[in-house]
Amino acid sequence: MKQLTHYDIENSQQKFPITIVCDAIRTPENIGMCFRISESFGVNKIYFHENSPSVENRKVINTARNTIQQVAHNFYNNFDDLIRQLKKEGNTIVGIEITDKSINIQDFKFKNHEKIVLLLGSERNGIENVNLVDYTVSIPMYGRNSSMNVVHSLAITLYEVTNQLKSNNN
């Protein structure tokens, strides 16, 4: 067995109709990893709150590892207005959040939605206005802890979404 390097691997470089909205994420490393994971999974665009760390932040740049220029992104100042605009554009808003109405991520039919917005809540308080979302999905957990890092939940969710969308195309 031989371990492969970046030069040995050619990914399909596929884009999916997925937008990420980061609701007031404050940690520079989480912003950087959001870029890195979003690029890896072919995300179309990311929105960050204007008070989130800047894409010029050294920790954001180091963590993103050259993916900032590869993923379209923008900043917003009013969460409610952004979500309403994305809904008008035909997006289904899916919050990655534990609520009394959350659907197990493996049971949610992402392929039944043409354009998907994945909404990440802040590290401390979750999604600001959970009543604006169309659905919430949760990730089954088997330990004592009931939550995980926001970017880890994004990675798991993007894996599930792209897996379903990819199988829909085959």
Side-chain angles (χ1 to χ4, degrees):
M1 182 178 312
K2 173 188 167 200
Q3 185 174 10
L4 300 177
T5 68
H6 293 291
Y7 304 107
D8 299 321
I9 301 168
E10 285 191 39
N11 294 328
S12 64
Q13 298 186 13
Q14 186 174 354
K15 285 280 190 188
F16 291 94
I18 302 168
T19 299
I20 307 296
V21 173
C22 296
D23 183 13
I25 292 184
R26 303 277 188 247
T27 308
E29 291 85 356
N30 282 342
I31 298 294
M33 286 306 298
C34 186
F35 274 107
R36 194 163 173 195
I37 288 168
S38 293
E39 194 282 328
S40 296
F41 282 100
V43 165
N44 207 30
K45 188 169 189 173
I46 308 170
Y47 286 94
F48 299 103
H49 190 273
E50 64 184 7
N51 292 333
S52 292
S54 159
V55 293
E56 282 93 37
N57 179 296
R58 176 182 227 105
K59 289 181 181 177
V60 171
I61 292 168
N62 288 343
T63 310
R65 295 189 62 188
N66 300 318
T67 57
I68 293 172
Q69 293 77 25
Q70 297 171 21
V71 181
H73 57 280
N74 213 333
F75 293 85
Y76 67 93
N77 61 10
N78 187 301
F79 175 79
D80 292 9
D81 289 348
L82 175 64
I83 297 304
R84 286 187 188 102
Q85 180 60 40
L86 290 168
K87 280 186 178 191
K88 276 185 200 170
E89 294 170 5
N91 289 281
T92 301
I93 313 298
V94 180
I96 306 170
E97 186 72 81
I98 300 169
T99 69
D100 60 343
K101 304 270 192 246
S102 290
I103 300 165
N104 183 315
I105 192 170
Q106 295 145 325
D107 297 330
F108 189 82
K109 304 295 182 216
F110 290 100
K111 59 188 172 184
N112 292 345
H113 304 276
E114 194 172 318
K115 296 184 336 183
I116 299 165
V117 169
L118 295 177
L119 179 54
L120 301 176
S122 72
E123 295 96 340
R124 184 167 296 185
N125 302 316
I127 296 172
E128 177 182 329
N129 188 350
V130 77
N131 293 317
L132 285 178
V133 305
D134 297 312
Y135 304 95
T136 56
V137 295
S138 61
I139 299 163
M141 296 176 64
Y142 305 103
R144 295 181 80 182
N145 192 6
S146 64
S147 68
M148 65 177 71
N149 176 279
V150 66
V151 176
H152 294 139
S153 65
L154 175 61
I156 292 166
T157 304
L158 283 172
Y159 177 82
E160 181 64 29
V161 174
T162 56
N163 195 42
Q164 285 188 27
L165 295 178
K166 212 174 88 186
S167 69
N168 203 33
N169 292 337
N170 295 335

